[in-house]
């Protein structure tokens, strides 16, 4: 019998009683026995024999084809039919029963009949009764109407139905889709789903069109579901890309200007660029950006990058400051701000609740939470008493904690205004055209539309002041001038423009249009040219969005979509412009120019645009009109590409010296390692053979330590050898006696390949290497291990040294033009002494084909590599010899030990489970993984044939330049070491190698400041 038939027969026989067995040799008799019936005295022994035989078979039934034939009957003698028919005649058994005892025979048959009846009545599968019928007898109504079943099965089906009713969970009566989609139930469900991950106001719009991810306490759109990679790049380059940055956190500082500047100067440094007391930013005219550090700890203990806006002066000594931070950095920066300003007690404890009274909210939630009840309200509002949609929330804090802190010594107040101010970003050369077509300046209003409501009462009061009216008219005139510009990059970087606009929902077009600039109207206008040169005046940077009471009024008195649609339906001409008159809402906003790409010489101003700040509650009211102007929407991945094409670090990915960057690196390593483990060993890369020590995380701490150790061991710089296999490091030669180079024949080509073997004993280890760390416990994220060099003066010096000073691409005048010094030991040795363990942010462009990837290695080319490149311009780069996997035997041994341990545990469970000690079962040890370096890392700089200089954090084919580009960090010591010994015409040439490849590729290294 085949294996499939054996399984099928065993499945059928699993419910049979022990007293019933099938004979091994079938016979022709109805008695079911092929041999003579036993004598009366042998009945008990026969039954015992059958029970014993069945018990042996039930534990592991094994049915063979020859079991159904007698010992003397061969395959050729058996018939084609089932009953032993051969040539039309039934074969007769050789042994014929001489007599049959009626009582014994009936007793045996009775047992078989009862077993058969039990098997028929007992259901052996998970199918329902009507599913056991033949297909031609099944009817659709049988699933819910028992009377459609045959009468013999109706009783069994009735029992199944009763059992299903008891097992069914108690559900609400309003379980149909129509009930679930009611407004009261829908809003309650949305509020319930925001307990862990806060939604932005545009969440539902994004959820229908984007892949959503949960990050930093928010639910954010990662990338569009449609294919739009190139389309988003074209939008950033030629038209406009829209992003919702409302998840960024706003920290507001209020107090005396001198006290604010005194303490804020401790957490930033003028060495890195702007500070909080920059005059152009302090006036409130421009937005500033800087890097924060812990108090008096520069250049160590990095907190992260922030942007800040000062409120324009109003004659008082008290100032307002907004600091915008990424949600991953918020807790560290907020903690440091409270420490330097000595804010210990909260100003007030305010729980974020919707704009309703607590009694109303309790009544509403009681109605919502009652399952199975009708929607009857206990109050008089009836249908109007529905849960208010929550537009307040912040995923980075507990909603029951305070959001405002005060310092009793200095009077400084720190407020957390996260999610109170919405923030949208428009990227592209036509972003100002989208703004001018979507938004219209608010009209001056001197009378209240309705005395009973507070709609626009703040605007009416301000319009009574002639100075504020003239200021509003000046802001409106400047806003209209934006339509005559070709790109936002023509404005001064960080320009701020305050404005009050009308409801943008009133100006919706009938269908989607593409906003275009009107150059003919403003081509020869002197005001546009004046705006290019001088920018926006200081007074025009004022906005009412700084006033929290006004923002609250604007949010509470917003006209609902339902009322707006009702007014549209009453128009005499459908589709005509809806004029609300004095009932139109007035919204204060703030426009901030984003300069785009400022560093480097190519593509200046690329990625420029505008940021628009709005009061909460108006998210979708502004979002949909922007969509109708032809913008394309991007998510987190588009934001990553935007920073990558600008060649600037992305937050928090490219900040390895701050806590958020370390946490991001750990999470990325975990996800990549899990993805690696999911693949079988034959379908994944063996990183040990490829010479990749750390494929999932960049060991920045060990990289800087190894380079510092190389300099200390050699007492300075030693020129590298021209041989790729002879890299000197810390007194060790790469071709150490403990390091062997073995030649192997490739199984595919048969060619001889070099295989590099590095024994675990011969791994290069110094006193600076963390030799006690293993794969599962390595920690490369200590803030004291390394720093990132952000001094503008030193970066400009390094940037000048990276350019070749001879040959075709020479730039002799660059150093003299920038006032930099020539590269001598007297110049760079003090730098190395000040920053022995520093990293430098660099960008790389491949000379030939190739696509750099994440965690790719940046290496130093040897003299032979540069000589080969000068002779052959098409030379892509050298190739790394294959390494030998020294952990393969250990992994195999561990695998065998696990199998033995499993067998031993199984035997122990069957026998004596308490005989196995607890200490042995809970023994902790790090599992070896085939293909990964599972021991302490050796010297990462000299593990391969080319000296490692750094690692790549972003890499891909660039649509902007048409070649592969990468961004990453290199060791400052290694960079100066390489530039000092490279020829004048080959300055800045490095090698790139991806973690899954042996091929090196030449790339040009640049530092843009």
């Amino acid at each position: 019998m085949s294996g499939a038939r054996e399984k099928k027969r065993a499945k059928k026989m699993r419910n049979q009683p022990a007293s019933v067995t099938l004979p091994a040799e079938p016979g022709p008799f109805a008695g079911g026995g092929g041999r003579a019936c036993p004598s009366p005295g042998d009945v008990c022994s026969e039954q015992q024999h059958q029970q014993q035989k069945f018990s042996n078979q039930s534990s592991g039934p094994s049915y063979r084809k020859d079991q159904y034939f007698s010992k003397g009957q061969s395959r050729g003698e058996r018939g084609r039919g089932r009953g032993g028919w051969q040539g039309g005649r039934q074969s007769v058994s050789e042994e014929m029963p001489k007599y049959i005892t009626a009582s014994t025979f009936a007793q045996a048959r009775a047992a078989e009949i009862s077993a058969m009846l039990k098997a028929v009545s007992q259901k052996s599968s998970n199918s329902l009764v009507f599913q056991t019928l033949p297909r031609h007898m099944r009817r659709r109504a049988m699933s819910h109407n028992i009377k459609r079943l045959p009468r013999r099965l109706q009783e069994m089906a009735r029992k199944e139905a009763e059992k299903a009713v008891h097992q069914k969970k108690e559900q609400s009566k309003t379980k149909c889709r129509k009930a679930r989609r009611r407004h009261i139930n829908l809003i309650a469900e949305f509020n319930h789903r925001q307990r862990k991950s806060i939604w932005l106001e545009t969440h539902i719009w994004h959820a229908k069109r984007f892949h959503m991810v949960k990050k930093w306490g928010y639910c954010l759109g990662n990338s569009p579901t449609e294919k739009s990679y190139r389309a988003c790049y074209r939008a950033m380059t030629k038209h406009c890309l829209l992003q919702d940055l409302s998840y960024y956190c706003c920290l507001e500082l209020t107090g005396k200007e001198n006290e604010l500047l005194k303490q804020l100067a401790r957490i930033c440094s003028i060495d890195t660029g702007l500070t909080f007391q920059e005059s152009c930013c302090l006036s409130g005219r421009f937005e500033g950006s800087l890097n924060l550090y812990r108090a008096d700890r520069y250049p160590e203990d990095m907190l992260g990058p922030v942007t800040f806006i000062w409120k324009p002066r109003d004659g008082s000594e008290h100032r307002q400051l907004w600091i915008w931070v990424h949600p991953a950095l918020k807790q560290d920066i907020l903690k440091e701000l409270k420490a330097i300003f000595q804010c210990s007690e909260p100003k007030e404890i305010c729980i974020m609740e919707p704009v309703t009274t607590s009694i109303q909210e309790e009544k509403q939630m009681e109605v919502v939470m009652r399952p199975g009840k009708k929607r009857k309200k206990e109050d008089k509002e009836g249908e109007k008493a529905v849960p208010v949609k929550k537009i307040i929330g912040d995923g980075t804090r507990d909603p029951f904690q305070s959001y405002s802190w005060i310092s009793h010594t200095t009077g400084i107040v720190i407020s957390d205004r996260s999610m109170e101010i919405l923030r949208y970003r428009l990227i592209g050369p036509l972003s100002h055209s989208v703004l001018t077509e979507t938004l219209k300046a608010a009209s001056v209003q001197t009378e209240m539309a309705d005395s009973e409501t507070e709609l626009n009462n703040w605007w009416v009061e301000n319009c009574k002041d002639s100075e504020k009216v003239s200021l509003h008219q000046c802001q409106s005139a400047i806003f209209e001038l934006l339509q005559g510009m070709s790109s936002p990059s023509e404005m001064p970087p960080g320009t701020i423009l305050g404005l009050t606009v009308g409801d943008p929902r009133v100006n919706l077009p009938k269908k989607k249009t593409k906003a275009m600039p009107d150059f003919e109207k403003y081509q020869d206008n002197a005001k546009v040219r004046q705006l290019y040169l001088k920018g926006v005046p200081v007074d025009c940077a004022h906005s009412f969005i700084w006033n929290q009471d006004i923002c609250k009024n604007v949010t509470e008195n917003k006209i609902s979509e339902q009322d707006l649609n009702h007014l549209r339906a009453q128009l005499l001409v459908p589709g005509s412009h809806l004029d609300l008159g004095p009932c139109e809402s007035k919204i204060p906003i703030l426009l901030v120019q984003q300069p785009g790409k400022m560093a480097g010489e190519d593509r200046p101003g690329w990625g420029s645009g505008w940021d628009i700040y709005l009061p909460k509650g108006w998210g979708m009211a502004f979002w949909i009109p922007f969509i109708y102007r032809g913008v394309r929407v991007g998510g987190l991945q588009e934001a990553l590409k935007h920073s990558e094409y600008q060649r600037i670090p992305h937050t928090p990915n490219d900040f390895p010296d701050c806590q958020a960057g370390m946490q991001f690196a750990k999470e990325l390593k975990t996800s990549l390692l899990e993805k690696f483990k999911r693949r079988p060993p034959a379908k994944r890369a063996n990183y040990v053979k490829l010479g990749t020590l750390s494929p999932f995380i960049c060991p920045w701490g060990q990289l800087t330590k190894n380079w510092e150790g190389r300099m200390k061991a050699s007492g300075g710089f030693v020129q590298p050898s021209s041989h790729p296999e002879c890299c000197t490091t810390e007194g060790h030669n790469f071709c150490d006696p403990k390091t062997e180079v073995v030649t192997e024949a490739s199984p595919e080509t048969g060619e001889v390949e070099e295989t590099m073997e590095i024994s675990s004993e011969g791994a290069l280890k110094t006193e600076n290497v963390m030799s006690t760390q293993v794969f599962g416990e390595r920690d490369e994220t200590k803030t004291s291990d390394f720093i990132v060099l952000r001094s503008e003066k030193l970066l400009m010096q390094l940037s000048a040294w990276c350019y070749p000073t001879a040959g075709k691409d020479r730039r002799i005048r660059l150093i003299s033009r920038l006032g930099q010094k020539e590269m001598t030991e007297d110049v760079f040795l003090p730098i190395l002494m000040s920053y022995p363990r520093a990293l430098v942010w660099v960008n790389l462009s491949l000379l030939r084909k190739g696509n750099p990837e994440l965690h790719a290695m940046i290496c130093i080319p040897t003299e032979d590599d540069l000589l080969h490149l000068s002779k052959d311009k098409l030379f892509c780069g050298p190739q790394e010899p294959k390494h030998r996997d020294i952990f393969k035997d250990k992994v195999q041994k561990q695998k065998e030990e696990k199998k033995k341990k499993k067998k031993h545990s199984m035997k122990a469970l069957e026998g004596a489970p308490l005989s196995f000690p607890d200490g042995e079962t809970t023994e902790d040890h790090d599992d070896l993984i085939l293909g990964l370096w599972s021991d302490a890392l050796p010297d990462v700089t000299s593990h391969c044939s080319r000296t490692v200089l750094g690692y790549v954090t972003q890499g891909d084919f660039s649509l902007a330049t048409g070649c592969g580009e990468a961004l990453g960090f290199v060791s400052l010591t290694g960079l100066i070491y390489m530039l000092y010994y490279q020829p004048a015409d080959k300055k800045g040439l490095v090698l790139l190698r991806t973690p899954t490849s042996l091929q090196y590729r030449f790339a040009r290294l640049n530092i843009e400041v």
Side-chain angles (χ1 to χ4, degrees):
M1 186 181 292
S2 63
R5 289 186 177 180
E6 289 180 7
K7 293 180 181 178
K8 188 174 181 181
R9 185 174 182 84
K11 186 177 180 181
K12 287 182 178 180
M13 295 298 297
R14 63 185 177 186
N15 293 323
Q16 295 293 335
S19 62
V20 178
T21 57
L22 291 179
E25 299 178 2
F29 297 99
R35 55 200 173 111
C37 292
S39 60
D42 296 337
V43 171
C44 296
S45 61
E46 179 71 18
Q47 291 181 354
Q48 292 175 3
H49 171 71
Q50 290 183 355
Q51 290 179 2
Q52 183 180 1
K53 181 179 179 183
F54 179 76
S55 62
N56 295 336
Q57 290 181 353
S58 61
S59 61
S62 175
Y63 299 96
R64 300 189 306 273
K65 291 184 178 181
D66 53 358
Q67 284 181 340
Y68 296 93
F69 307 101
S70 59
K71 296 182 179 180
Q73 187 180 10
S74 63
R75 288 181 177 267
E77 295 174 356
R78 71 181 182 182
R80 296 185 181 179
R82 270 197 166 182
W85 292 94
Q86 183 177 3
R89 296 179 59 188
Q90 187 177 6
S91 61
V92 183
S93 176
E94 294 180 359
E95 298 181 4
M96 296 291 291
K98 297 181 179 179
Y99 60 91
I100 294 177
T101 306
S103 59
T104 308
F105 183 80
Q107 186 179 1
R109 301 293 78 75
E112 292 179 1
I113 291 171
S114 62
M116 181 182 66
L117 291 175
K118 185 179 180 181
V120 170
S121 60
Q122 182 179 353
K123 188 175 64 173
S124 61
S125 63
N126 295 327
S127 58
L128 299 175
V129 174
F130 72 91
Q131 292 174 333
T132 59
L133 290 171
R135 292 190 180 274
H136 70 279
M137 293 180 64
R138 297 183 191 180
R139 297 295 182 268
R140 186 183 303 170
M142 290 178 178
S143 60
H144 59 84
N145 189 0
I146 298 176
K147 293 183 179 180
R148 298 300 299 270
L149 282 165
R151 289 183 180 178
R152 58 184 178 85
L153 300 177
Q154 287 183 8
E155 186 64 27
M156 196 181 301
R158 201 172 286 110
K159 293 180 180 179
E160 285 183 353
E162 293 176 359
K163 186 178 180 181
V165 168
H166 291 296
Q167 290 181 350
K168 192 174 182 180
K169 293 183 179 179
E170 195 172 322
Q171 295 180 353
S172 174
K173 294 181 180 179
T174 57
K175 58 181 179 297
C176 62
R177 175 177 170 79
K178 183 178 179 181
R180 284 187 281 109
R181 298 299 296 179
R182 286 196 187 107
H183 183 69
I184 180 174
N185 298 332
L186 203 59
I187 297 301
E189 182 189 358
F190 289 165
N191 293 340
H192 178 75
R193 287 159 62 182
Q194 295 185 57
R195 291 180 303 171
K196 294 183 179 179
S197 298
I198 301 300
W199 290 1
L200 305 183
E201 291 190 17
T202 59
H203 170 83
I204 296 178
W205 190 94
H206 278 90
K208 296 176 180 179
R209 299 164 179 88
F210 275 69
H211 298 288
M212 307 301 289
V213 294
K214 294 182 179 179
K215 280 190 174 184
W216 313 303
Y218 297 91
C219 194
L220 306 174
N222 189 42
S223 60
T225 53
E226 61 179 355
K227 293 183 179 179
S228 58
Y229 178 79
R230 289 178 178 267
C232 289
Y233 169 75
R234 285 195 298 268
M236 288 187 284
T237 306
K238 298 180 180 179
H239 192 249
C240 183
L241 182 81
L242 176 61
Q243 289 180 330
D244 189 354
L245 301 183
S246 301
Y247 59 90
Y248 267 70
C249 304
C250 178
L251 303 178
E252 183 182 84
L253 277 66
T254 308
K256 294 183 179 180
E257 181 178 327
N258 294 334
E259 293 291 339
L260 288 172
L261 293 176
K262 179 181 177 182
Q263 298 299 329
L264 290 174
R266 299 174 57 193
I267 59 176
C268 60
S269 174
I270 197 173
D271 193 25
T272 60
L274 296 177
T275 60
F276 287 102
Q277 56 187 359
E278 189 71 26
S279 59
C280 61
C281 300
L282 191 60
S283 63
R285 188 181 174 191
F286 297 99
E287 179 192 48
S289 60
L290 47 81
N291 295 311
L292 295 185
Y293 295 84
R294 296 201 181 275
D296 308 321
R297 291 287 296 167
Y298 173 81
E300 299 178 355
D301 294 341
M302 168 78 170
L303 290 176
V306 299
T307 59
F308 64 93
I309 301 175
W310 286 95
K311 182 183 178 182
R313 293 186 175 92
D314 53 0
S316 174
E317 62 178 355
H318 279 74
R319 299 293 302 276
Q320 254 179 292
L321 172 66
W322 281 355
I323 301 178
W324 287 88
V325 302
H326 192 277
L329 313 171
K330 173 187 167 183
Q331 293 300 333
D332 294 334
I333 294 178
L334 181 59
K335 182 180 179 181
E336 191 66 22
L337 289 175
K338 289 191 291 185
I340 63 174
F341 289 110
Q342 301 176 0
C343 297
S344 56
E345 297 181 2
K347 179 182 177 184
E348 57 179 346
I349 299 178
C350 179
I351 300 175
M352 294 305 206
E353 293 290 343
V355 190
T356 52
T357 61
S358 59
I359 300 176
Q360 290 176 347
E361 184 69 19
E362 289 177 2
K363 290 182 179 180
Q364 294 165 10
M365 293 310 295
E366 283 179 5
V367 175
V368 174
M369 295 306 292
R370 290 175 188 169
K373 299 291 182 181
K374 293 185 178 180
R375 296 189 303 140
K376 291 183 179 180
K377 311 299 177 197
E378 296 180 3
D379 55 358
K380 297 180 181 180
E381 294 184 357
E383 293 293 328
K384 295 183 180 179
V386 296
V388 180
K389 183 178 180 181
K390 293 183 181 178
I391 55 176
I392 308 170
D394 177 24
T396 61
R397 69 160 181 244
D398 189 349
F400 294 97
Q401 291 182 354
S402 59
Y403 70 99
S404 185
W405 302 266
I406 187 171
S407 173
H408 296 286
T409 57
T410 59
I412 302 296
V413 179
I414 302 176
S415 302
D416 185 2
R417 298 196 65 187
S418 302
M419 297 294 291
E420 295 281 326
I421 305 296
L422 307 183
R423 183 178 177 183
Y424 294 161
R425 175 164 291 178
L426 297 169
I427 304 170
L430 300 185
S431 55
H432 55 278
S433 300
V434 174
L435 282 175
T436 53
E437 286 195 18
T438 305
L439 308 179
K440 302 298 178 184
S443 58
V444 178
Q445 182 180 349
T446 56
E447 295 181 358
M448 291 290 295
D450 188 359
S451 59
E452 296 181 359
T453 63
E454 297 180 356
L455 178 65
N456 298 334
N457 60 350
W458 64 274
W459 180 243
V460 173
E461 292 176 2
N462 285 285
C463 287
K464 294 178 182 179
D465 190 349
S466 59
E467 293 183 359
K468 294 183 178 179
V469 171
S470 61
L471 177 61
H472 173 68
Q473 292 174 352
C474 181
Q475 290 174 339
S476 303
I478 293 177
F479 180 70
E480 292 296 330
L481 290 177
L482 296 180
Q483 196 171 2
M485 293 186 174
S486 60
S487 175
S489 60
E490 297 177 354
M491 295 284 291
T495 299
I496 297 176
L497 175 63
L499 192 63
T500 303
V501 298
D503 195 335
R505 297 174 291 178
V506 177
N507 304 322
L508 272 180
K510 294 182 181 180
K511 60 180 181 179
K512 284 188 179 181
T513 58
K514 197 169 185 179
M516 299 299 293
D518 189 1
F519 296 111
E520 296 180 358
K521 188 176 180 181
Y522 301 99
Q523 188 173 6
D524 298 328
N525 199 329
K527 294 182 180 179
V528 177
R529 294 195 298 270
Q530 194 72 11
L531 191 61
Y532 290 160
L533 299 175
K534 296 185 178 180
V536 178
V538 180
D539 297 337
C540 294
H542 178 270
S543 175
F544 293 105
I545 200 173
W546 290 92
N547 192 325
Q548 295 188 23
D549 295 332
I550 292 178
C551 290
K552 184 178 180 181
N553 185 300
V554 171
T555 301
E556 292 178 354
N557 295 283
K558 174 191 172 186
I559 301 177
S560 65
E561 290 286 343
Q562 184 179 4
D563 296 339
L564 207 60
N565 292 333
H566 183 67
L567 294 174
R568 285 197 184 103
Q570 294 178 353
L571 290 174
L572 294 178
V573 181
S576 59
H577 178 71
L578 177 62
D579 187 9
L580 298 178
C583 295
E584 183 180 0
S585 300
K586 309 299 187 295
I587 307 103
I589 65 171
L590 200 65
L591 299 176
V592 180
Q593 189 261 3
Q594 297 299 318
K597 190 176 185 298
M598 298 180 65
E601 300 178 358
D602 59 328
R603 297 180 290 113
W606 186 92
S608 60
W610 290 90
D611 279 7
I612 175 171
Y613 298 86
L614 313 168
K616 66 183 179 184
W618 285 87
M620 290 304 297
F622 280 76
W623 186 266
I624 297 300
F626 283 143
I627 301 297
Y628 268 75
R629 263 65 186 193
V631 302
R632 184 170 284 273
V633 183
L636 297 178
Q637 289 300 317
E638 283 68 33
L640 178 63
K641 289 300 174 184
H642 180 237
S643 60
E644 181 179 334
Y645 287 158
Q646 289 187 87
R647 296 170 184 166
I648 59 175
H650 187 69
T651 309
N653 309 17
D654 300 323
F655 290 86
D657 54 338
C658 72
Q659 291 294 332
M662 300 173 192
Q663 183 65 26
F664 173 82
K666 290 180 181 179
E667 294 174 358
L668 180 63
K669 172 187 173 183
T670 304
S671 63
L672 292 178
L673 182 59
E674 290 177 355
K675 185 179 179 181
F676 179 81
K677 288 180 178 179
R678 284 197 297 266
R679 289 181 172 270
K683 302 297 181 183
R684 65 192 187 197
N686 190 322
Y687 291 108
V688 179
K689 290 185 176 181
L690 294 171
T692 306
L693 290 175
S694 182
F696 306 136
I697 192 171
C698 300
W700 303 118
Q702 187 158 351
L703 176 71
T704 53
K705 283 182 179 182
N706 293 153
W707 273 108
E708 184 188 20
R710 290 169 67 105
M711 189 179 67
K712 287 182 178 179
S714 60
F717 283 146
V718 179
Q719 187 171 2
S721 173
S722 61
H723 263 307
E725 288 83 16
C726 298
C727 299
T728 307
T729 167
E730 303 184 28
H732 298 278
N733 193 296
F734 193 81
C735 297
D736 196 271
K738 299 177 184 178
T739 304
E740 305 173 8
V741 177
V742 185
T743 58
E744 293 182 353
S746 174
E748 298 176 0
T749 61
E751 298 176 356
V752 176
E753 297 179 356
E754 287 187 349
T755 302
M756 190 174 299
E757 178 185 355
I758 300 182
S759 62
S760 57
E761 299 178 358
L764 301 176
K765 299 176 184 178
T766 63
E767 59 186 6
N768 295 316
V769 180
M770 294 176 286
S771 57
T772 59
Q773 295 176 347
V774 295
F775 175 77
E777 301 176 351
R778 276 199 309 272
D779 186 9
E780 309 292 349
T781 56
K782 293 183 180 180
T783 54
S784 59
D785 283 350
F786 62 93
I787 63 169
V788 176
L789 184 66
R790 294 186 175 93
S791 172
E792 288 190 349
K793 184 179 179 181
L794 294 179
L795 289 176
M796 291 180 68
Q797 180 69 76
L798 291 172
S799 177
W801 289 345
C802 288
Y803 290 108
T805 56
K808 182 179 178 181
D809 300 327
R810 65 182 183 277
R811 299 191 181 185
I812 302 175
R813 300 180 182 177
L814 183 65
I815 297 179
S816 59
R817 185 172 77 243
L818 297 176
Q820 304 299 333
K821 302 176 182 178
E822 295 289 342
M823 190 174 187
T824 58
E825 291 188 3
D826 297 337
V827 176
F828 65 74
L829 282 180
I831 299 175
L832 296 179
M833 297 301 295
S834 302
Y835 303 97
R837 296 183 184 178
L839 297 175
V840 182
W841 175 258
V842 297
N843 66 83
L844 305 104
S845 300
L846 292 176
L847 300 185
R848 302 293 175 204
K849 65 178 182 178
N851 190 18
E853 297 177 2
L854 182 66
H855 300 153
M857 290 166 279
I858 307 171
C859 304
I860 301 176
T862 61
E863 292 182 3
D864 290 347
D865 298 336
L866 298 177
L867 185 63
H868 195 173
L869 179 64
S870 59
K871 292 180 180 180
D872 184 8
K873 296 299 181 182
L874 300 178
F875 177 57
C876 292
Q879 197 166 6
E880 174 74 13
K882 274 189 179 181
H883 295 234
R884 183 176 178 181
D885 190 354
I886 60 175
F887 301 101
K888 189 174 182 180
D889 296 337
K890 295 182 180 179
V891 172
Q892 192 66 25
K893 186 177 179 182
Q894 182 186 5
K895 210 173 185 180
E896 295 175 357
E897 289 178 356
K898 281 187 176 180
K899 288 183 179 179
K900 292 180 181 178
K901 189 175 180 181
K902 190 175 180 181
K903 289 181 180 179
H904 185 68
S905 61
M906 292 295 292
K907 291 180 180 179
L909 289 173
E910 292 176 0
L914 298 176
S915 62
F916 202 76
D918 295 338
E920 297 180 11
T921 56
T922 59
E923 183 180 349
D924 294 332
H925 62 276
D926 293 330
D927 292 338
L928 299 174
I929 303 174
L930 185 64
L932 294 179
W933 191 277
S934 305
D935 204 351
L937 287 184
D939 191 334
V940 296
T941 60
S942 59
H943 177 71
C944 300
S945 61
R946 304 302 187 274
T947 307
V948 176
L949 189 63
Y951 296 94
V952 170
T953 58
Q954 297 182 40
D956 200 356
F957 182 83
S958 174
L959 297 175
T961 58
C963 66
E965 281 199 346
L967 303 171
F969 292 94
V970 297
S971 169
L972 174 63
T973 307
L975 178 63
I976 296 177
Y977 169 80
M978 180 191 74
L979 296 175
Y980 184 68
Y981 289 110
Q982 275 189 336
D985 59 336
K986 303 294 183 183
K987 294 281 187 184
L989 282 182
V990 295
L991 292 172
L992 273 181
R993 184 166 74 90
T994 57
T996 57
S997 174
L998 295 172
Q999 180 67 47
Y1000 290 95
R1001 298 194 182 277
F1002 280 101
R1004 172 73 63 185
L1005 183 144
N1006 291 317
I1007 300 174
E1008 294 183 349
V1009 186

